[in-house]
Amino acid sequence: MQQNIYDNNEFFENYKKTRLSDDSFNELLEQPAMRKLIPDVRGKSVLDLGCGFGFNCKEFVLAGAKSVVGIDLSEKMIEQAKATNNLDNITYHVMSMMDIDTLNDKFDFVYSSLAFHYIEDFEMLISKICSVLNDGGILLFSQEHPIVTAVKNDGDNYIKKLNGSIKGFLLNNYADMSIRKEKWFVDGVEKYHRTFSYIINTLVKCGFTVEAVDEPLPSEDALKVRKGLEKEFIKPTFLIIKARKTV
């Protein structure tokens, strides 16, 4: 069963503070890259997996989406989404993304921001997404980069020179596709590591054609806002994939 860490009070409050800040990795790296790959949603039905606070659900409606369904395992997330990002065309559900086949609906566009690395059975998830997508429908998702999820220790894996400057990153356990437990606000946060090739091959196996892959790098403006983003040129934090259902 998927861990529901976001309903942990300590975790949720720290995550909320981080997510709502203007200098978060989401705002400076992941979300700008995701926006560039979002298809035209005018008149389309949209499913947001792991919708969190509902920011994207609201944006899809404002961009002309016919209907948006946002799901999240966290009751706290959905409560926040309903309170701050609720419009007539949006329906929110507290549910696991592994249960989307119970929605009894089809979608033109499935979107997910930084949630897939919490799912143990990636192939089952992608198969279910394919089943709820209309023919030619688009899947766009981001996740922690496999270089990030591979590492099994909570320490600093950057390799530094004597003067403190960074010269590299120590990658380990890349081929070991299994659960990872780490400290992020609280101890024992569970994530799942998969290799890049496994991710791509699973998408193809389940009936998708990959249309775009991005490993976002910081813009000049982002580098001015947050010190340390230069490390992204050594080791990417996020992986973004856009794929189309072709079966």
Side-chain angles (χ1 to χ4, degrees):
M1 180 176 292
Q2 182 184 347
Q3 182 188 48
N4 184 12
I5 194 65
Y6 285 85
D7 276 346
N8 175 293
N9 288 331
E10 181 181 354
F11 184 95
F12 180 79
E13 291 303 323
N14 280 283
Y15 173 82
K16 182 178 179 181
K17 184 186 302 182
T18 299
R19 185 65 182 86
L20 297 180
S21 65
D22 293 332
D23 65 346
S24 69
F25 271 57
N26 299 79
E27 292 304 312
L28 297 178
L29 276 176
E30 185 254 355
Q31 281 296 295
M34 289 285 273
R35 291 187 191 107
K36 292 178 182 178
L37 294 174
I38 291 173
D40 184 355
V41 298
R42 287 176 293 181
K44 304 295 185 181
S45 56
V46 180
L47 174 61
D48 188 343
L49 303 178
C51 65
F53 297 147
F55 296 126
N56 298 109
C57 292
K58 185 176 181 178
E59 288 300 315
F60 295 143
V61 170
L62 295 177
K66 176 180 63 176
S67 63
V68 178
V69 175
I71 71 167
D72 202 288
L73 190 62
S74 166
E75 292 183 8
K76 289 181 179 293
M77 288 289 194
I78 293 298
E79 180 181 334
Q80 182 79 16
K82 288 181 176 179
T84 58
N85 292 297
N86 208 3
L87 296 173
D88 290 341
N89 298 46
I90 303 175
T91 303
Y92 290 113
H93 297 289
V94 178
M95 67 182 298
S96 167
M97 64 181 75
M98 296 301 287
D99 295 329
I100 57 174
D101 50 335
T102 67
L103 290 172
N104 295 317
D105 206 351
K106 290 279 192 175
F107 302 91
D108 302 305
F109 175 44
V110 174
Y111 176 93
S112 184
S113 171
L114 300 177
F116 282 9
H117 48 260
Y118 295 117
I119 297 298
E120 180 177 8
D121 194 334
F122 183 70
E123 183 174 338
M124 179 65 74
L125 172 64
I126 298 303
S127 178
K128 290 191 175 191
I129 291 172
C130 189
S131 72
V132 302
L133 266 175
N134 289 317
D135 292 344
I138 295 291
L139 166 64
L140 174 64
F141 71 93
S142 63
Q143 64 159 73
E144 288 194 353
H145 199 286
I147 291 177
V148 176
T149 58
V151 178
K152 283 191 172 183
N153 61 288
D154 289 331
D156 185 355
N157 274 49
Y158 285 100
I159 304 167
K160 299 178 181 179
K161 300 178 182 178
L162 292 177
N163 63 5
S165 63
I166 297 173
K167 65 176 181 179
F169 181 80
L170 180 60
L171 175 64
N172 60 57
N173 299 295
Y174 184 78
D176 178 10
M177 296 197 297
S178 61
I179 193 171
R180 303 292 193 264
K181 294 185 179 182
E182 64 179 54
K183 182 173 183 178
W184 185 35
F185 305 136
V186 298
D187 290 327
V189 178
E190 296 178 355
K191 300 176 182 178
Y192 293 88
H193 168 63
R194 294 173 264 274
T195 62
F196 182 85
S197 60
Y198 178 81
I199 293 168
I200 297 297
N201 289 334
T202 300
L203 287 164
V204 173
K205 178 180 179 180
C206 291
F208 285 94
T209 297
V210 175
E211 294 192 341
V213 176
D214 192 12
E215 299 160 299
L217 295 173
S219 65
E220 291 186 8
D221 289 338
L223 290 169
K224 295 175 183 177
V225 171
R226 181 163 183 151
K227 182 179 180 181
L229 278 182
E230 295 86 356
K231 291 189 292 186
E232 293 298 310
F233 293 98
I234 295 174
K235 182 271 302 172
T237 296
F238 304 118
L239 172 66
I240 297 174
I241 297 177
K242 181 179 183 179
R244 184 181 299 273
K245 177 179 177 178
T246 50
V247 296

